[in-house]
């Protein structure tokens, strides 16, 4: 049995005692903090466990000249595509719109076509979204701040 189980049960009771509007505010703040944390981690090109992303594949000689000067997922991590939402029951950080499919391909390491006319390519798994110990600390601090108010 977990030694923190009684504490977690009391904490769940305190959160349930909050009004729905207060819970929504709390989860919205948690979601925004998590989005900022995820954006910084993606900027550092790291998976949630701290390992670096797999490098890009080398382009064929007949392809573009020069090197790719942009880091992976620069547009994907912007607030336009990475949304944070808080509901009564959950804090949600998700990719929206058309980039959602591309993010899922990279998150899970699936096969996809880079453009309409090319052959399918197997992508390396690059975990874009995920929780680590720092994110759990952010969540705990936000909950404690809301309960102390």
């Amino acid at each position: 049995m977990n030694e923190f189980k009684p504490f977690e049960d009391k904490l769940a009771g305190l959160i349930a005692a909050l009004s729905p509007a207060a819970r929504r505010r709390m989860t919205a703040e948690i979601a925004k903090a998590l989005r900022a944390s995820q954006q910084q981690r993606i900027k550092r090109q790291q998976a949630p466990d701290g390992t670096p992303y797999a490098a890009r594949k080398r382009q064929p000689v007949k392809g573009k000249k020069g090197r790719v000067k942009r880091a992976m997922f620069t547009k994907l991590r912007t607030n336009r595509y990475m949304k944070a939402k808080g509901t009564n029951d959950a804090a949600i950080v998700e990719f929206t719109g058309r980039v959602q499919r591309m993010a899922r391909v990279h998150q899970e390491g699936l096969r996809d076509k880079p453009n309409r006319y090319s052959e399918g390519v197997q992508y390396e798994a690059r975990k874009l979204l995920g929780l680590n110990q720092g994110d759990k600390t952010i969540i705990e601090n936000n909950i404690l701040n809301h309960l102390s108010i």
Side-chain angles (χ1 to χ4, degrees), residues 87-101:
T87 65
N88 286 343
D89 302 325
I92 302 166
V93 177
E94 64 184 351
F95 293 104
T96 59
R98 297 175 67 179
V99 300
Q100 193 174 39
R101 187 176 134 275

Side-chain angles (χ1 to χ4, degrees), residues 2 10 26 42 45 53-55 59 61 72 77 123 125 132:
N2 187 356
K10 283 192 178 216
M26 180 180 68
I42 291 172
Q45 304 281 307
Y53 286 158
Q59 296 299 315
V61 176
M72 289 187 289
R77 68 176 186 251
Y123 285 91
N132 58 21

Side-chain angles (χ1 to χ4, degrees), residues 24-136:
R24 237 185 338 272
R25 274 193 307 273
M26 180 180 68
T27 57
E29 286 182 21
I30 290 171
K32 286 179 186 176
L34 285 177
R35 177 179 62 191
S37 166
Q38 299 293 317
Q39 286 171 331
Q40 290 302 312
R41 193 178 45 70
I42 291 172
K43 185 176 184 178
R44 291 189 311 267
Q45 304 281 307
Q46 288 182 340
D49 61 0
T51 58
Y53 286 158
R56 279 189 166 134
K57 290 185 180 177
R58 304 275 304 158
Q59 296 299 315
V61 176
K62 64 181 179 179
K64 292 181 181 177
K65 302 295 182 215
R67 66 181 183 90
V68 177
K69 294 181 176 85
R70 190 168 22 114
M72 289 187 289
F73 311 121
T74 52
K75 285 188 178 181
L76 195 64
R77 68 176 186 251
T78 61
N79 291 348
R80 179 178 179 184
Y81 298 115
M82 190 183 228
K83 297 294 182 186
K85 180 172 51 173
T87 65
N88 286 343
D89 302 325
I92 302 166
V93 177
E94 64 184 351
F95 293 104
T96 59
R98 297 175 67 179
V99 300
Q100 193 174 39
R101 187 176 134 275
M102 181 183 67
R104 189 174 61 85
V105 166
H106 283 279
Q107 174 87 10
E108 299 171 6
L110 302 176
R111 190 170 186 78
D112 192 24
K113 294 169 99 176
N115 63 42
R116 189 182 318 178
Y117 306 107
S118 64
E119 294 180 16
V121 175
Q122 179 66 42
Y123 285 91
E124 294 285 333
R126 297 178 178 101
K127 296 288 184 188
L128 298 173
L129 297 178
L131 294 177
N132 58 21
Q133 192 58 41
D135 295 330
K136 292 177 185 176

